[in-house]
Amino acid sequence: MLKFTEDHEWLLIDGNTATVGITDYAQKALGDVVFVEIPQTDNEVSQGDEVAVVESVKAASEVYAPASGTITEANTALEEEPALVNQDPEGAGWFFKMTLSDMSEIDALMDEAAYAAHVADLD
Amino acid sequence: MSDDFLKTPLFDLHTELGGKIVPFAGYGLPIQYPDGIMTEHKHCRASAGLFDVSHMGQAYVHSQTGEDPAAALETIMPGALTNLAPGQMRYTLLLDEGGGIIDDLMVTRTHDASGKLYIVVNAASKDADYTRIEHALGGRITLEPLEDHALIALQGPEAVAVLADIAPEVSDLYFMEATSVTLEGVVCWVSRSGYTGEDGVEISVPASAAEGLARRLLHDDRVKPIGLGARDSLRLEAGLCLSGQDFDTSRTPIEAGLTFAVPKRRREAGDFPGAQNIAAQAANGPDVLLVGLRPEGRAPVRTGAEIQAADGTPIGTVTSGGFAPSLEAPVALGYVDAAYSAPGTDVQIVLRGRAIPARVSKTPFVPQKYVRRPKP
C-alpha cells in the first residue's frame, strides 16, 4: 500500500512497517540534492517530528516523520550518493524504514490519486 | 503564478526555455532551467553560459559643468576613477560617511568626448544608489538610467569565442575593458567582465534587440542558459562578494577584504567618505575580516550560521554559504575576529545545533580565469 503526506513524502506500507522517501514532485522542487542527513535508527518518533534533512544546492529542507513509530533503518547510501534522491526518489533514493505504532494515522494519509490531485492544486 | 514583479526583456524567453521563475529584487527571473543548478554551473565552467542580468541598474553619468564626471564620483567612491581611459572599467564602492559599504558597482569610461561614464549597480539597491549619487553630486553630474536596455552576461572559457564568431573585434578586449560593438544591427556596449570568475563578456543591448541576440547566442551549441541559482554558486566559488549579504553599511572595504578597491593614491589623499576610519583600519588591521571557509563533510552551511573557535567561543558569522559544484564540497564566506583570519586556521561552524569542523581558506575557492592585458 502506497500513501503520501502533504509534505511530499511517500510511504510504502507492508503490515506495520513502512519505507519512507520524498516524492518526485519534492525532488524536482528541491533541485540537485547535495547532502542528506539521515535519521538515527532505534529512534522513537511522533508524527510530524523532524527526522532528516535534505540539502539541495538551493536550500535545506526538513523531512518529517509521516507517522508515529520507531525508525529501524536509514539509507546510508544517501550519505555517499545524495543524488540518488533526484535520480530515483521513489526507489533507491528512499530515506528510512520504520515500524508504525498507530495505524489510524496511516488511514488519514493520501492515496496515490489524492496525492496527484494535491500536487495538481499546487501547480 | 502572480505577476507581482517586473519583467526583463528576456522574460518570455526564460519561460519558453523552461526557466523556473522566482521573484528577485523586484523582478521575475529564472532560478534555474530544466537542467538544474549543478549542471548549469558545471556547463558555465566548462563551456559558456548565458545569464540575464537586466535587473541590474545601468546608467550614464554626465558632467553638468564640463569637469570630469569621474572627479565628482571620486568624492563618494574610493576607487581611482579620474585616470580611467576610454573603454577602461573599474570596480568601486559607494560608501557612507563612516566608510560603510552601501553598494559595489562598475564604472566604465565611454568613448564619448565629454568623458561620460557608464555605471552598473546592483538591482536591489539601484533606486537608493541613484538617489544617493544625485543627492551628493547634484549640480555636478546628471544620472541617466538606461531603462530601455537589457544586460546579458556570457561567461565561461568559450564565451569570448562564441561572441567573436558574430563580432570578431571583441577578441581585442581584455579583462575590465569595454567597447561599442554592433550586434543584431544595433549598437551594444560590450565589456570583458563578469561575476563568475570565468573569462567572459557582459553585453548592454537595447531592449528591442535583446531577445534576438540571446536567441542567436543560445543557438550556438556551446551556450546554455544559466539561472540565478548557478549565478550564486559560481560567484561564491570565485570568492566574489554579494552586496547586501557579504557586506553592507556595517562593514568597511578593509573588513570586507576589498582593500584593492581603495588604491594608495586615494588612501593617502583621504578624500572620500570614511577615509580616516578606512586608513586607520588599513594601517592597524581591522578587528574583523571576511574570510573563506571550507567546512568538512558535504553539508552546506548557510547564511547566518555561527562561526566558533575550536574551543566553542563565538568568533563570527557566515554571510554566504553553499555547495560548490566544482569542488563537490561546501564552501562559505564569513566574518571572523581578525585573530582567526589566517588561512589554515581551524574553526567550527554551527549547523543544526552541531559544530562542524571547518578551516579558514584563501579565496577564490576556484581559480579565476580572467584574461588580462599583457603588461607592456
Side-chain angles (χ1 to χ4, degrees), chain B residues 68 70-71 74 79-90 109 117 263 265-266:
Chain B
D68 180 358
E74 279 197 359
L81 304 176
T82 52
N83 61 353
L84 280 173
Q88 267 192 328
M89 181 176 190
R90 200 148 285 156
R109 181 83 73 184
L117 303 168
R265 168 182 56 97
R266 301 298 316 276

Side-chain angles (χ1 to χ4, degrees), chain B:
Chain B
M1 165 115 9
S2 87
D3 278 4
D4 198 19
F5 47 65
L6 299 167
K7 292 178 180 174
T8 72
L10 299 183
F11 184 85
D12 291 343
L13 180 59
H14 297 316
T15 52
E16 181 187 315
L17 294 169
K20 187 169 166 189
I21 304 296
V22 298
F24 182 80
Y27 288 81
L29 286 165
I31 187 154
Q32 64 171 79
Y33 298 90
D35 280 345
I37 295 172
M38 198 87 93
T39 304
E40 291 171 25
H41 179 115
K42 289 179 175 170
H43 184 84
C44 182
R45 289 262 184 261
S47 183
L50 184 143
F51 305 70
D52 178 11
V53 288
S54 306
H55 56 304
M56 299 190 75
Q58 307 178 62
Y60 286 129
V61 181
H62 304 270
S63 174
Q64 274 189 28
T65 60
E67 73 166 336
D68 180 358
L73 288 190
E74 279 197 359
T75 64
I76 53 173
M77 299 171 189
L81 304 176
T82 52
N83 61 353
L84 280 173
Q88 267 192 328
M89 181 176 190
R90 200 148 285 156
Y91 174 83
T92 190
L93 304 162
L94 185 58
L95 300 178
D96 72 9
E97 291 72 13
I101 308 170
I102 297 167
D103 198 9
D104 59 355
L105 69 155
M106 289 290 185
V107 178
T108 313
R109 181 83 73 184
T110 68
H111 292 94
D112 194 276
S114 69
K116 180 174 80 172
L117 303 168
Y118 163 77
I119 67 170
V120 179
V121 304
N122 283 292
S125 47
K126 64 181 167 187
D127 292 335
D129 288 357
Y130 293 164
T131 303
R132 185 159 189 109
I133 293 168
E134 284 180 323
H135 190 257
L137 305 176
R140 296 180 72 178
I141 58 99
T142 309
L143 208 59
E144 181 197 348
L146 291 171
E147 299 293 6
D148 58 343
H149 278 62
L151 191 60
I152 295 172
L154 192 64
Q155 300 280 295
E158 298 292 334
V160 170
V162 167
L163 191 61
D165 282 353
I166 305 172
E169 65 268 38
V170 300
S171 321
D172 297 338
L173 294 173
Y174 285 95
F175 183 57
M176 298 296 268
E177 296 178 1
T179 194
S180 295
V181 176
T182 300
L183 300 166
E184 299 295 297
V186 296
V187 178
C188 300
W189 183 249
V190 176
S191 62
R192 196 158 184 176
S193 56
Y195 192 46
T196 59
E198 294 297 324
D199 185 18
V201 291
E202 293 171 296
I203 309 164
S204 175
V205 50
S208 58
E211 187 179 319
L213 175 61
R215 283 186 191 278
R216 182 152 176 203
L217 294 170
L218 287 166
H219 188 69
D220 191 307
D221 287 341
R222 291 169 287 186
V223 181
K224 282 186 180 217
I226 314 289
L228 292 172
R231 178 170 157 82
D232 193 53
S233 54
L234 288 159
R235 72 93 192 166
L236 180 56
E237 282 187 349
L240 300 171
C241 287
L242 174 58
S243 179
Q245 185 168 315
D246 297 310
F247 54 71
D248 56 26
T249 52
S250 71
R251 304 294 183 190
T252 69
I254 310 299
E255 292 167 344
L258 302 172
T259 305
F260 72 89
V262 193
K264 199 164 163 235
R265 168 182 56 97
R266 301 298 316 276
R267 231 179 300 162
E268 285 174 355
D271 54 354
F272 56 88
Q276 269 191 324
N277 188 18
I278 287 170
Q281 284 188 349
N284 307 325
D287 293 338
V288 297
L289 198 55
L290 188 72
V291 296
L293 297 156
R294 294 285 306 263
E296 281 183 15
R298 281 185 65 96
V301 297
R302 306 287 181 182
T303 304
E306 182 173 281
I307 307 168
Q308 301 177 337
D311 67 0
T313 311
I315 55 165
T317 308
V318 170
T319 52
S320 284
F323 192 79
S326 307
L327 303 171
E328 287 282 330
V331 295
L333 295 174
Y335 286 89
V336 295
D337 292 350
Y340 298 90
S341 64
T345 305
D346 286 318
V347 298
Q348 52 193 34
I349 301 174
V350 181
L351 177 68
R352 293 185 282 274
R354 283 210 313 269
I356 308 287
R359 184 160 288 180
V360 175
S361 158
K362 281 192 177 135
T363 59
F365 300 106
V366 171
Q368 293 168 341
K369 304 278 180 60
Y370 306 138
V371 178
R372 297 176 195 274
R373 180 173 285 279
K375 294 243 169 21

